[in-house]
Amino acid sequence: MEEYFSAIHKMEQVVMFPSLLRGVYMEQQDDTSTGDFGNRDLYEYYIQLKSIKLIVEGRLEPLNESKHQITSRDEVQENEEEADLEGLLYHHFTGLYRVLTHLTRKANALTTKYNEIIGQINQSEMTHTW
């Protein structure tokens, strides 16, 4: 989890102008950290990553979090889950680890792409001033 928060913190520190990410898409590469960006631009991912950070930190309730009505089916499932709490904990911890690793890769890839954009802007400004 430390790597996740570190990657998000670095992304927040580097990305000073998130609007520069609008309309920018990650090139498809063989690297798994960039291959999962889909059809959304990097600005959408930036907003998503920041929102998820707030959820993980406990500042916001997840969007689908509502007052759950317990049904008899839910109660039965809960009783079954209590029988194997260690297995259940391992399952959820493993899933959380996978999600955080995935989000860490996305944050790092987004930060790298933003640095490339800023580098191109700076180089363009330098060539126009000569």
Side-chain angles (χ1 to χ4, degrees):
M1 194 174 289
E2 183 70 29
E3 287 180 50
Y4 166 74
F5 282 114
S6 176
I8 296 298
H9 179 72
K10 181 179 178 182
M11 179 189 76
E12 291 174 328
Q13 295 299 310
V14 169
V15 180
M16 301 302 256
F17 305 103
S19 61
L20 291 176
L21 298 170
R22 288 189 187 272
V24 177
Y25 298 87
M26 188 64 68
E27 292 92 25
Q28 294 297 322
Q29 299 173 355
D30 292 335
D31 185 6
T32 58
S33 65
T34 60
D36 55 3
F37 276 86
N39 293 330
R40 293 190 284 172
D41 68 11
L42 293 182
Y43 180 79
E44 291 179 62
Y45 277 105
Y46 176 81
I47 298 301
Q48 179 188 45
L49 289 165
K50 287 195 50 107
S51 297
I52 291 170
K53 176 191 167 224
L54 294 175
I55 292 168
V56 171
E57 288 178 332
R59 293 185 187 168
L60 294 175
E61 289 187 25
L63 294 176
N64 295 332
E65 186 78 20
S66 60
K67 302 299 179 198
H68 295 290
Q69 296 178 344
I70 298 179
T71 63
S72 59
R73 181 179 175 201
D74 289 337
E75 290 172 353
V76 168
Q77 183 179 0
E78 186 175 315
N79 289 336
E80 290 172 357
E81 290 172 352
E82 285 181 18
D84 186 22
L85 289 178
E86 185 177 348
L88 184 62
L89 176 65
Y90 178 78
H91 170 76
H92 286 290
F93 182 74
T94 303
L96 176 62
Y97 180 78
R98 278 191 224 129
V99 169
L100 290 176
T101 299
H102 182 76
L103 293 172
T104 300
R105 287 182 187 142
K106 281 189 173 188
N108 288 334
L110 188 146
T111 302
T112 300
K113 186 65 175 180
Y114 181 83
N115 281 332
E116 289 173 11
I117 292 168
I118 292 298
Q120 290 171 355
I121 290 172
N122 288 340
Q123 192 165 10
S124 175
E125 288 176 356
M126 291 174 68
T127 58
H128 290 337
T129 58
W130 295 104

